[in-house]
Every structure is written in C-alpha cells, then in structure tokens.
Amino acid sequence: MTTGQLIIVDHVVALLSAAAWFAAGATAATRRTRPALGLLAAAVLVTLARVATVAVLAGRGWWFVQEKVLLGLPMLGAVGLAAVVVAGPRLLAARRAPDAGPPANRAATVVLPLTAGYAALVGLVVTLVGGYPVTWSTALIACSAVGAGALLTARVVAAPVDTDGDTDGDTDSAPAPAPQATSGFPRRRFIGLAGGALVASTGVTGVGLLFAPAESVVTGGGPGRSSRPGSPVSVADLRGAGAPAAGGTRRQYTLNAQAATVQLPSGRQIQAVTYNGRLPGPPITANEGDLIEGTLCKADIQGGVTLHWHGYGVACGEDGAPGVTQAVVAPGGEFVYRFRADQVGTFWYHTHQSSHVGVRRGLYGTLVVTPREQQTDSAGHLDLTLPVHTFDGTVVLADHDGRMERGAPAGTRVRLRLVNTDSDPHRFALAGTPFRVAAVDGRDLNQPGDVSAAGLRLPAGGRYDLVFVMPDGPVALVVDNDHTGGLRLRPDNRAGTPADPDTSGWPELDLLRYGTPAPLPFDAVRRADRHFTMVPDRGAAMVDGRPAYGQTVNGRGHPSIPDQLVAEGDLVRFTVVNRSLDTHPWHLHGHSVLVLSRNGTPASGSPLWMDTFDVRPGEVWEVAFRATNPGIWMNHCHNLPHAEQGMMLRLRYDGVTTPFHGMHSAHEAHGH
Amino acid sequence: MRKVFAGFATLLILAIVVQFFFAASGAFDTAPKDEAFQPHRALGYITLFIAILTTIVAAVARVPGRVIGMTGLIAGLIVVQALIRMLADAFNDTGDASTTAGKLIFGLHAVNGLVIMTLAGTVVRRARMLSRPAVAAGPAGASNHAEVSGPAHPVS
C-alpha cells in the first residue's frame, strides 16, 4: 500500500472512531444499555485499529504521524480509557440488573464517551488543519476544544430540559432542585466554573501563541547570517552577461503582454492573456552562446506581468520573480531581460505575477537552446517543440486543439520536446516506435535505453525530450489517453492511419531507474553543508496576511515561511515530504537539483537533474544541488494555484538583499 | 436564548441552500475546478462554523438533547463533506480528470448534502417550535432563569 493510500485509510478509521464514540454516548443518553455497551466495545476496537494504522504510517516517516502520536492519540486514549473504566462497569451493572433502571450517573455513561468522540474528532481536525509540525498553540486549542465540549455536554446532561414529558423520576437528571441541592449544586457549579476558566485560559493561550513571531530564516544546520565585511549585494545588481560568447549572436525578442481573443484551429475562441497576441507566446530559440534579450513591454495586463525563465540558470536579477528580483512590470512599463544561452535544452518562460491566472490564460511560451553545431532545420531532422496546455478544459498541444498531423519520411531523426505548462501532470504515450528519453528538464540523460509501451508522466512545469528514428509506419503521441488529440507523424501521405493501440494500460516509466549511472559531482548524502526539510500539506495558516485554509510548508503559508539561508558554494540537500493528498510539483528557481532518492530508494539510473519534480501524496524525495548561483530564489510548488494559496518560500544566499517588497507589491499599497 | 437558537438554525439552512446554488453554478463554470468552486468551498467552511456555533447555542439554550444531537450531527456531516471531496480527489490523481472510483465516491457528496439539508430542516422546525412562547412557558421555562440565557437578542 502506498503512503498516500495509508493516509486515506487512517483518515477513514479516525472518522469511524469518532462516529463510534459519539454513537456510544448518544445511545447511552437514550438509556438503551445493551446497544450502548456494544457501541462502547466497537469504539474501543476502532480506536485500537486507529493505533494500528498510525503505527504503520509511522513506519513511512515521522512527518506523517507526529501530531497523531504526540497529541491526537494520547488525548483520545486518555479520555477513551476513562470512558471505558467509568462508563463500562455502570452500563454492565445496568444490563445485569435491568429492573434497577438505567444507570444513575449519566455524567459517566454519556459525557465521557461523547468527550472521547470530541477527542477523536479534534484529533482528526488537527491532522487536517494543523498538520506538521504540531505546535503548542495547536495542542492548547485542541485540548481547550475537547474540554469545552465536555463541559457543555455535562451541563446539558446534568440538567436536561425534556419537552417530551420525561416522567421517569430520574432524580439526578431533574433540573433543580435536586435532593442534594444544598451541597451538590454549588460543587457542580464550582467544577463547571473552574473547568470553564481552565478551558478558556487554555484556549486563549493557544490562540495567543498563534501570533508569536516566526523565525525569519532557517539555516539547515549551516552557519547563520555572516557579518561579512563589505556591502551586501542587491539582486538588482545580479544581472546577466551583456554580450554573446565569441561567435554567438544577439537574439532580440520583444514581448508585448496583452489581452487577446485567440482562435484555435477547431474554431474555438479563447479569451486569453498573451505575449504578442498568440498562444503560446513567440517561441524563443537560440544557439548555445547566443545572447537572449527579451524586452517585455506594454504589459497591458491588470496587476502587471513579468518573464520568468523556467528552469534556466539565469542570473538572479533576470529571474522575473516580482517583488523579489524585480518590481512587477505595470501597464505601460518595460523590463529588459538579458542572459547568455549557455545551457542547451528545452525550457519555457511564463509570467510570475499572479501566475495561477496569468499562465493558465496564456502568458507562456517555449525557450529552446540548441548546440551551435547542430542544424535542426536541415533535411533528415524533425525537431518539434510541443507545449501542452489546458484552456477551459480543452488540451492544446503547441497551437492545436485537435489532432496535429505531420509528415516525416522514414529515417528522419525526430526530437519531440514535451513541455507541460499546466498546473497538473500530463500523461504521454508514444505508440508506433521505440524511443529514448534523451533529456529531462533540459538536461541530457546518461545513455538512456530504448523504451516502448510505457507511459510518461510529465510533472507540471517539466520537460522531456523524446528522440527516435522515424519508422516505416505512423507514430502517435497520445496525451492523457485521449486519441482525438495529440500528434500523428506519418512517413507518407497515405490517408487512413490504423487505429492507435490502447495506451491507457501502459506502465509508467520510472525515471529514477532509467538510463545508466555515472559518477556524481558530489556526495550529497554524507557531505551536505545544509539540509532543509519541507513538508507541503494543506492547513490553516496566514497566507498573504489573511487567515486561510491554504497550502502550507511546515505548517506556514507564504510569506510567513522562513527563508532558507545558504552560502555560495554550499552543498544543499532538500527532503520534500508530501503529507497531503495532492501532488506537489516542486520547483526551485535558478538551480537544477540532482535526485538522490524517492521513498528511501536511491535513484539507480542515469544521474537525474530536474527543476520540477512531482512529489506525489505520501512521497518523500531527497534532492541536492550546489549553491553556485547567488541570489534570492523562489522555491515553490508549481501547481500555481497551490503557490498562490501559500505554498511558496525563498532560498536566500548569505549577503544578498533585495530592494523589492514582496510578491504582491504591485496591487497592494504596502507603505514599506 | 431559544430565539437565538432558532435564528442560528434559520441562518444554517439558508447557508445550506446557498451551498446548493454555488455547487450548481460551479459545476457549469468552465474555469478549473479549484476556481469554479471557490465560493462553494469558502461558504462550506463558513457553514461548518455556523453549524458548530448553532450546536453550542443549542447546548447553552438547553433544548432537548435530541435537537442538540441533530445539530451536532449536521456539523459532523459537513466535516464528512470535506472528507468526501478529499478522498475523491485522492482517487483522481491528475487534477481535473476523474476516475470511476473518484466519481462514485464524489457522488456521495450530493447524497450527504441532501441528508444535511433534511436534518437542518428538522432542526429549524424544532427550533421554531421551541422558541414559541407557548412552549417556553411550559416545563422548558425552568431554564429561563439561568443567567446564561442573558440578554437574548432574537436574530430572526
């Protein structure tokens, strides 16, 4: 069973345990002794089952169970045990001697099982809302909530008002005055008041602790901020090269960000926001060593726009992260991005301002850098760049929303550059020929082997280069098992291609075991200078100054997640643990990371460098990189709505500062 | 206090009705699910909050245990609504695409919604009955002297 499935099972068992305790209490309240006993036994059994699921989950990692082991289960265990010890014998006695009437002390038989139900429910809520790591604040609020529930229940049970005309003479349940009123009522009242005060003060303390300031940086075990001599470096001064390498040319692109209505080949019209009025934006291509100069102007987009070069190791000042590496380009503004194309491969660009809307509506395009000697346009080669994007539920491959057809003579060397510009993964399948995955995220793999009849899961923001030699027959690239779209390559002009094979059952190619191992540039498992653990999850947190049920990292939301501090030259290791039930495509700007392991199993294929890796529910990824690109870099989930909902932090090089004022400075008048 | 309870119960059922409206308008929106169902999700949290408040008010107002239980059950079932969505999403691995298992599980979201609606209707009816002076003056009037009922401001 995968960890993701285990998490679901644990949630279900937790809910069942709450339901069982509530049912036991409610049944006892209706004075049906026999079913109450049965339900009490069931509650105990389900609670024990919960202990078992938590124990199994603990085997997958402490991150998955911390709040359950330290808070949820102890709370439930204590109250549940009290319920069994106190209510059990009373119910049993009542059952053995039915003539004696229902158990006299209803506080014991009703309040305690119900309180166990509150504890079980609060434990589940803590798991879903509080997450990892559990805080004192969460613990105090949780205890306070259970206590408040118990007190309120006791108050109701001790003095019920029964409009149904309850006349069975149960003295203890009569409102007042009870026989022992003179001594009992003040005592009960005292307990109620004292309990109420305790519950209130606990809750208030817990809520107060919520406002305790968080640390602003974490160092991952390395040294803190240095007080190095000399002035700090501003990201605004970390700019790209001004001239191409020897023999290279200057490639100038002007990108006008503008709203446009774009018609797709099927005739469907898209109300889009675009670069230069087209979908995708103009393809940016260069040879290795060329200078790319992208001028973003007009920027006729409400809220502003930027250009982020996804996966490309640009200097930090060219990174296009608004409020961090530059001010957002407001309507009428302009920004010139300049960097040398030293990295060969498939990349893409997109806006980083309100990107969850902007990218989805069309502010993206591809960036492809080819080796200088390679002539991809020459005869015998076919090089297709295929960004896949979803507009209003329609999957668009490059600029086609239906099937895309191309002719390619047998023997043609084909390279398909797949780019996922969506926020969710896509599944590709290539039918009709064996192929190789030559590159992942713009980095060549080492001796990749032939693959056939395998599905390729491309993470949001990721790229795969598929290469093959065109066979005699047709080749089909199928996206998401949808045979009405995708790409067909035909060696001739014969009409009526045979039906594609059903690709939906093809197993998924595991890139961690694909290709041939090669010596690694560093030993990050033993030699890392800094080690940061990130636990993405859903949870209640402050996101952009507002309380939200957002997407969190280590229990916090942007911009309250501490910055990760590194020094230039550090070997940095990340552990990314997905506690949630969503997939999180993790993306660090400005660096490619080397994948070390997934769920504790080391990568055994070609060295795998990625800039966006899919951490699926319950997965634990270990990755590492050398900190050689100074700056302040966004480090976030590339499911862009998740990033918007808080799943975004910064990696900060020691000694680098920013003059810009946060991600939302464009449309929020912060007076910094 | 019982008038306050009746007010809260009415507010609760109104919120639930609007939830049905948001669910339908989200289903016919072409934006991605995350965005299309944003109002439904936001009001969902608010509805849960109202349900919990209503339960607490019911307990403080000392209405019959059965009514308190039903109100609490509504709060519990609203939590279940969120869990059903979470479960279905977990089965639908790739965002907006759905698997058969995911669809089947998610169908329960609508059924559970109807159960919540029915329960809320019952609670409102009982709350209205309880808040009528004729009933309040009966055996239930005993609780009216309790200091907790305080300055009750009828909501409806």
Side-chain angles (χ1 to χ4, degrees):
Chain A
M1 196 183 275
T2 68
T3 310
Q5 289 164 330
L6 257 180
I7 292 173
I8 294 174
V9 170
D10 183 65
H11 286 348
V12 171
V13 176
L15 190 68
L16 285 179
S17 78
W21 285 110
F22 278 129
T27 318
T30 59
R31 292 150 212 233
R32 277 172 290 182
T33 317
R34 186 188 285 261
L37 263 174
L39 284 166
L40 196 66
V44 171
L45 284 180
V46 182
T47 304
L48 291 177
R50 179 83 206 289
V51 173
T53 59
V54 170
V56 176
L57 201 51
R60 306 298 169 93
W62 175 242
W63 315 280
F64 298 111
V65 295
Q66 188 222 27
E67 85 292 353
K68 304 176 184 75
V69 171
L70 295 185
L71 179 61
L73 283 186
M75 201 161 63
L76 174 59
V79 185
L81 192 67
V84 170
V85 169
V86 178
R90 284 180 167 81
L91 285 170
L92 268 179
R95 198 186 132 202
R96 287 207 191 95
D99 302 336
N105 191 342
R106 302 188 71 220
T109 55
V110 177
V111 178
L112 281 172
L114 284 180
T115 306
Y118 301 143
L121 192 62
V122 166
L124 179 61
V125 169
V126 165
T127 293
L128 295 175
V129 173
Y132 176 92
V134 68
T135 59
W136 279 108
S137 164
T138 308
L140 291 176
I141 293 173
C143 292
S144 166
V146 173
L151 283 178
L152 207 53
T153 310
R155 192 165 174 278
V156 171
V157 168
V161 175
D162 203 337
T163 49
D164 298 337
D166 181 7
T167 52
D168 65 359
D170 182 348
T171 50
D172 197 44
S173 70
Q180 72 275 37
T182 45
S183 66
F185 187 63
R187 194 190 66 178
R188 183 186 294 161
R189 199 166 155 184
F190 172 76
I191 292 175
L193 281 175
L198 185 67
V199 161
S201 58
T202 310
V204 166
T205 312
V207 171
L209 283 177
L210 280 179
F211 297 96
E215 51 197 339
S216 63
V217 293
V218 287
T219 60
R225 279 200 183 99
S226 69
S227 49
R228 68 164 77 168
S231 56
V233 180
S234 163
V235 287
D237 299 327
L238 293 168
R239 302 304 301 267
T249 58
R250 182 180 290 261
R251 294 183 181 254
Q252 288 172 311
Y253 291 88
T254 302
L255 299 177
N256 299 320
Q258 61 198 73
T261 304
V262 177
Q263 185 160 345
L264 296 173
S266 69
R268 183 170 179 159
Q269 294 198 329
I270 305 283
Q271 304 295 325
V273 286
T274 65
Y275 295 114
N276 295 2
R278 47 180 292 183
L279 291 178
I284 295 182
T285 56
N287 287 331
E288 187 179 4
D290 289 352
L291 184 83
I292 295 175
E293 190 177 290
T295 304
L296 175 62
C297 53
K298 281 196 179 165
D300 189 16
I301 305 287
Q302 200 67 42
V305 64
T306 67
L307 278 177
H308 165 61
W309 311 92
H310 185 111
Y312 218 72
V314 297
C316 191
E318 316 288 350
D319 190 49
V324 179
T325 69
Q326 68 170 95
V328 69
V329 182
E334 184 179 299
F335 195 94
V336 181
Y337 300 86
R338 231 177 253 119
F339 57 94
R340 214 159 66 192
D342 292 327
Q343 221 173 330
V344 169
T346 310
F347 302 89
W348 63 299
Y349 63 86
H350 60 82
T351 184
H352 217 280
Q353 170 71 14
S354 295
S355 54
H356 64 299
V357 178
V359 177
R360 176 165 66 74
R361 300 305 306 164
L363 285 170
Y364 71 95
T366 56
L367 163 67
V368 173
V369 179
T370 46
R372 201 179 292 181
E373 68 275 13
Q374 187 182 313
Q375 295 298 311
T376 51
D377 298 335
S378 64
H381 286 272
L382 178 65
D383 192 320
L384 291 176
T385 305
L386 302 169
V388 58
H389 198 85
T390 308
F391 290 100
D392 300 339
T394 305
V395 173
V396 177
L397 191 62
D399 51 5
H400 284 68
D401 58 342
R403 177 181 288 207
M404 189 173 165
E405 304 265 359
R406 280 293 171 91
T412 307
R413 296 187 168 278
V414 182
R415 180 178 281 256
L416 304 180
R417 302 173 184 269
L418 312 181
V419 187
N420 184 354
T421 59
D422 274 329
S423 279
D424 288 304
H426 282 290
R427 180 189 159 93
F428 290 89
L430 192 66
T433 177
F435 62 96
R436 286 176 288 130
V437 182
V440 171
D441 287 359
R443 292 255 200 167
D444 285 348
L445 297 184
N446 184 45
Q447 299 175 25
D450 276 345
V451 179
S452 48
L456 296 169
R457 179 186 159 114
L458 184 57
R463 286 89 57 211
Y464 295 155
D465 287 19
L466 312 186
V467 299
F468 56 92
V469 175
M470 189 66 195
D472 294 335
V475 170
L477 179 72
V478 183
V479 187
D480 300 331
N481 305 318
D482 175 13
H483 291 266
T484 59
L487 167 73
R488 298 296 176 283
L489 295 179
R490 279 195 249 157
D492 46 45
N493 287 327
R494 264 180 306 181
T497 43
D500 306 321
D502 179 15
T503 56
S504 58
W506 289 4
E508 191 181 310
L509 180 71
D510 184 3
L511 291 173
L512 269 70
R513 291 183 290 159
Y514 178 66
T516 312
L520 300 175
F522 47 69
D523 177 2
V525 177
R526 266 169 287 169
R527 298 262 165 79
D529 299 302
R530 295 177 193 260
H531 181 188
F532 299 100
T533 300
M534 288 175 274
V535 182
D537 198 359
R538 293 220 67 174
M542 295 298 284
V543 176
D544 290 318
R546 285 188 299 273
Y549 187 53
Q551 300 280 353
T552 61
V553 177
N554 300 343
R556 293 187 172 273
H558 176 84
S560 311
I561 307 169
D563 291 353
Q564 296 166 330
L565 186 75
V566 301
E568 196 172 350
D570 278 352
L571 182 53
V572 184
R573 187 172 147 205
F574 282 166
T575 301
V576 188
V577 183
N578 186 353
R579 248 182 70 108
S580 74
L581 297 175
D582 299 315
T583 292
H584 296 301
W586 206 261
H587 174 54
L588 170 65
H589 286 203
H591 305 73
S592 287
V593 298
L594 176 70
V595 178
L596 305 176
S597 70
R598 182 187 55 214
N599 300 333
T601 309
S604 57
S606 157
L608 181 60
W609 293 86
M610 304 179 94
D611 51 62
T612 321
F613 51 98
D614 247 356
V615 187
R616 291 191 234 182
E619 284 189 345
V620 180
W621 284 62
E622 298 267 355
V623 302
F625 61 97
R626 181 74 72 182
T628 52
N629 193 1
I632 300 174
W633 301 97
M634 300 309 298
N635 186 13
H636 65 97
C637 175
H638 214 277
N639 182 314
L640 298 174
H642 291 180
E644 175 68 16
Q645 290 164 40
M647 202 170 270
M648 182 158 58
L649 63 151
R650 297 186 295 189
L651 178 97
R652 171 190 290 275
Y653 279 63
D654 190 21
V656 179
T657 61
T658 175
F660 308 107
H661 303 301
M663 288 292 276
H664 294 271
S665 51
H667 49 91
E668 282 174 23
H670 291 306
H672 298 295
Chain B
M1 201 62 207
R2 294 185 163 204
K3 286 229 167 93
V4 177
F5 173 57
F8 267 93
T10 311
L11 185 67
L12 181 62
I13 202 163
L14 283 178
I16 294 168
V17 169
V18 178
Q19 271 302 72
F20 275 91
F21 175 82
F22 281 155
S25 63
F28 288 97
D29 197 327
T30 52
K33 279 184 189 167
D34 238 23
E35 201 176 302
F37 285 98
Q38 177 58 36
H40 184 68
R41 193 167 42 248
L43 185 61
Y45 301 137
I46 296 171
T47 311
L48 174 60
F49 187 65
I50 297 174
I52 292 171
L53 273 185
T54 311
T55 312
I56 293 173
V57 170
V60 172
R62 295 190 182 180
V63 300
R66 187 179 294 271
V67 180
I68 303 175
M70 270 195 282
T71 321
L73 188 59
I74 293 173
L77 290 180
I78 294 175
V79 174
V80 171
Q81 284 294 68
L83 282 175
I84 290 173
R85 192 228 151 180
M86 224 175 264
L87 270 180
D89 272 3
F91 279 95
N92 301 341
D93 188 36
T94 51
D96 281 7
S98 326
T99 61
T100 312
K103 279 181 204 160
L104 286 177
I105 292 175
F106 197 74
L108 298 176
H109 190 84
V111 177
N112 194 32
L114 285 177
V115 174
I116 291 172
M117 182 78 188
T118 313
L119 270 174
T122 312
V123 168
V124 166
R125 239 174 296 123
R126 298 289 293 268
R128 288 267 166 83
M129 247 153 41
L130 290 167
S131 67
R132 270 182 212 139
V135 179
S143 72
N144 282 354
H145 64 75
E147 66 271 50
V148 286
S149 61
H153 299 292
V155 174
S156 65

